[in-house]
Amino acid sequence: MSTRTVGPTGPGSAGTGSPWRNWAGNVTSRPVREVSPASAEELAAELRRATRDGLRVKTVGTGHSFTSIAATDGVLIRPDLLTGIRRIDREAMTVTVESGTPLKRLNVALAREGLSLTNMGDIMEQTVAGATSTGTHGTGRDSASIAAQIRALELVTADGTVMTCSEKENPEVFAAARIGLGALGMVSAITFAVEPIFLLTAREEPMRFDRVIAEFDQLHAENEHFEFYWFPHTDNCNTKRNNRSAGPAAPLPRLGGWFEDEFLSNGVFQAACSLGRAVPPAIPAIARISSRALSARTYTDIPYKVFTSPRRVRFLEMEYALPREAATAALRELKAMVEGSPLKVSFPVEVRTAPADDIALSTASGRETAYIAVHLYRGTPHRGYFTAVERIMTAHGGRPHWGKVHTRDAAYLAEAYPRFAEFTALRDRLDPDRLFANDYLRRVLGD
C-alpha cells in the first residue's frame, strides 16, 4: 500500500497530531493522524483501521470552507494522492476524475481536450469532492451548481464498501450524496457531464443599486449568467453578464487584465482592507473610491477564464440561498440595515442565481434561487454584521451555504429542506455509528 501516514497512530493519542487550519484561519483542529490514501481500496482500509482504533474520520481538500465541516480530532484524510482524470468518455460526454483533483487542474486538462464543464464557481482552488460536497456554485439562469453536473460518483462507506452511485445504480444514494457534507461516506471519484469547449462573452458594467434592484428579474432572464456586487456605504454596484458567443475570442489584454484582476482587485484591495481594519471609520470613504475604480469592460474567452478569478485577499464569508423572488426585498433590507447601523463593511456583497435542482440538500433544491453572500476581511470582528445579515436571510426562508459561516441547526434546517428527513435516514443506514461525525454535522444534521 502507498498510503502516507503522519502523526501518532494509537487510540489513546487523540488530538495530538499536527494542527490543521482552514484557508481563512478561523477553524483549527488537531487530528490524531493524517493519511493520504492513493486509491479507493486504500481509503477503505483506512476507514476500517479508524473503526478498529475507535476514531472518527474526516476528509479535507484545500480548506476553503469557513465552517468546521472538515475538522476532526480523529483521522484526517488528505486526498492529495487521489488526483487526476481516470477517463474521458466522448460518446457519453463525461469525465471521471479522482476526488482530490483541484478544479484548476481539471479545468485546464479539459480545455486541452477541447472540453468544459457547463458552469462553475468564481474560484477554482478547491478539490472536486470538497467543492461538490458543500454545494459550491456559480451563477446561472439555466445551469446549476457543480454538483448538479455530476452523473455518477464513487463512495466509500463506513464499513469499507466501495459503492458506485448514479441515476441507475444506487439512485437513492446518488440523490443525496452529490452534496453529502462528508456525512454519508468518502467520495473517491466523480463523473461529471462535460460539453465541447465554448466561448463566453463577459460584459462588466458599473450600475447604481436602485437600477440593479429594479431590473434584477430582467437581467436574470436576459442573461445566461448574471451576477453583481454591491459596495456597502455606497449606491454603487458592479454587474457581470456572461453569455455564450460565436467568437472570435477576445481575451483581456495581459497588462489590462493584470491591472484590474491582480493589482486592483487583489493588491490594492488588500491594502485597503488592511487600512480599514486598522482605521474602521475610513471604510466608507475607501468603499466610495474602490467602487469607482473598476471600469466597464467586455472580453470573450473560454469558460474557466471568464467564470473564475484569483482571490488572494483572505476573508470570512456568510452566504444564504433565498427563493429568487425574495432577493430584492432582502437586499433592500440589508442595505437599510448597514446604513442605519454603526457597522463598517469593507467587502462588497455578492449576488448570484441558480435554477432549481433535485439534490436533497442542495441550497437550490426544489426552488429557483438567489444567493446573497457577505464577506469581511480576515481578522475583522464579524459577529455583529453576520448576525444582523442572518436575521434578514432567515426571515426570508434562507438556506445557509454548508461551507460558509452560519449558526443554523438541525431543527431550522429540517424546516428549510423538504427532503431533510430523506437525507438523515440515508445517513442512519450508511453510517449508523457516525464514523464521519464531528461537531458541525451534529449541529446541522442532529445525532
Side-chain angles (χ1 to χ4, degrees):
M1 289 176 65
S2 56
T3 306
R4 260 199 336 248
T5 302
V6 179
T9 59
S13 53
T16 57
S18 300
W20 168 83
R21 290 181 179 84
N22 67 342
W23 176 82
N26 66 310
V27 176
T28 304
S29 68
R30 190 179 290 272
V32 167
R33 63 176 177 258
E34 296 183 11
V35 296
S36 297
S39 67
E41 292 71 27
E42 290 183 9
L43 177 54
E46 290 298 340
L47 298 186
R48 289 190 289 266
R49 179 184 174 205
T51 298
R52 289 194 300 270
D53 290 345
L55 298 173
R56 305 292 186 196
V57 183
K58 298 306 297 178
T59 189
V60 64
T62 54
H64 270 268
S65 288
F66 302 92
T67 63
S68 55
I69 192 168
T72 185
D73 59 2
V75 179
L76 188 68
I77 304 285
R78 289 193 179 272
D80 45 297
L81 299 182
L82 290 167
T83 61
I85 292 176
R86 284 191 186 179
R87 64 184 172 274
I88 293 173
D89 185 334
R90 291 185 182 273
E91 184 175 344
M93 288 304 287
T94 60
V95 59
T96 301
V97 61
E98 302 283 351
S99 60
T101 307
L103 284 166
K104 176 182 283 187
R105 285 180 56 188
L106 174 60
N107 286 331
V108 171
L110 286 176
R112 282 200 303 264
E113 296 288 336
L115 301 170
S116 177
L117 297 172
T118 297
N119 199 357
M120 57 194 76
D122 53 14
I123 64 170
M124 53 179 182
E125 306 306 315
Q126 314 100 308
T127 62
V128 294
T132 56
S133 294
T134 55
T136 295
H137 62 89
T139 189
R141 181 190 61 205
D142 309 306
S143 53
S145 70
I146 302 175
Q149 298 168 69
I150 294 176
R151 294 296 173 264
L153 58 84
E154 185 179 82
L155 187 73
V156 184
T157 59
D159 64 0
T161 299
V162 180
M163 177 186 294
T164 301
C165 310
S166 67
E167 288 184 348
K168 295 181 179 179
E169 198 170 358
N170 298 302
E172 76 289 353
V173 179
F174 181 71
R178 284 171 287 171
I179 299 180
L181 315 185
L184 304 178
M186 298 288 180
V187 176
S188 51
I190 298 174
T191 299
F192 291 103
V194 293
E195 60 178 296
I197 201 164
F198 53 94
L199 292 172
L200 284 172
T201 293
R203 178 183 168 193
E204 299 177 11
E205 179 184 7
M207 197 175 289
R208 302 291 283 177
F209 180 88
D210 287 342
R211 181 185 168 193
V212 178
I213 295 301
E215 298 180 8
F216 180 72
D217 288 339
Q218 179 183 347
L219 289 163
H220 167 77
E222 291 179 350
N223 295 282
E224 293 176 72
H225 309 273
F226 173 70
E227 63 185 306
F228 74 93
Y229 295 85
W230 165 60
F231 293 80
H233 312 294
T234 79
D235 290 320
N236 301 328
C237 297
N238 196 47
T239 63
K240 185 175 182 181
R241 287 166 264 196
N242 300 330
N243 291 286
R244 295 198 183 210
S245 170
L252 285 169
R254 181 168 296 184
L255 180 59
W258 173 86
F259 182 75
E260 293 217 347
D261 293 336
E262 286 290 355
F263 181 71
L264 289 181
S265 296
N266 285 293
V268 172
F269 189 53
Q270 172 85 53
C273 287
S274 297
L275 174 60
R277 185 175 63 186
V279 188
I283 286 175
I286 294 170
R288 287 191 292 272
I289 295 168
S290 61
S291 65
R292 296 191 190 105
L294 297 175
S295 57
R297 61 181 187 175
T298 300
Y299 54 96
T300 301
D301 213 330
I302 60 175
Y304 81 85
K305 294 185 179 182
V306 174
F307 284 130
T308 69
S309 56
R311 298 286 180 88
R312 309 197 197 287
V313 181
R314 302 209 178 197
F315 53 83
L316 288 183
E317 181 176 359
M318 169 182 282
E319 181 180 70
Y320 266 81
L322 306 184
R324 188 165 56 80
E325 63 272 15
T328 55
L331 285 163
R332 286 192 185 98
E333 292 170 31
L334 175 56
K335 187 171 188 287
M337 181 274 291
V338 171
E339 291 173 348
S341 76
L343 292 168
K344 299 293 183 284
V345 182
S346 58
F347 255 81
V349 173
E350 183 179 24
V351 182
R352 295 176 286 176
T353 66
D357 65 41
D358 64 349
I359 305 172
L361 290 190
S362 166
T363 47
S365 182
R367 73 186 190 190
E368 294 276 330
T369 296
Y371 294 98
I372 300 176
V374 298
H375 317 67
L376 281 176
Y377 184 49
R378 186 173 67 171
T380 304
H382 69 277
R383 290 184 186 274
Y385 180 41
F386 283 10
T387 298
V389 170
E390 193 168 40
R391 190 175 298 121
I392 293 169
M393 301 303 152
T394 54
H396 288 281
R399 298 168 177 170
H401 189 298
W402 298 108
K404 299 177 183 178
V405 177
H406 69 93
T407 66
R408 300 300 88 190
D409 60 14
Y412 176 92
L413 296 165
E415 294 294 323
Y417 286 91
R419 298 173 66 183
F420 189 84
E422 173 189 330
F423 187 95
T424 54
L426 182 63
R427 183 191 186 207
D428 288 341
R429 174 160 73 86
L430 294 180
D431 187 20
D433 298 323
R434 301 296 189 258
L435 178 68
F436 305 119
N438 63 4
D439 289 342
Y440 179 79
L441 292 185
R442 278 186 282 273
R443 172 163 68 87
V444 299
L445 297 178
D447 209 22

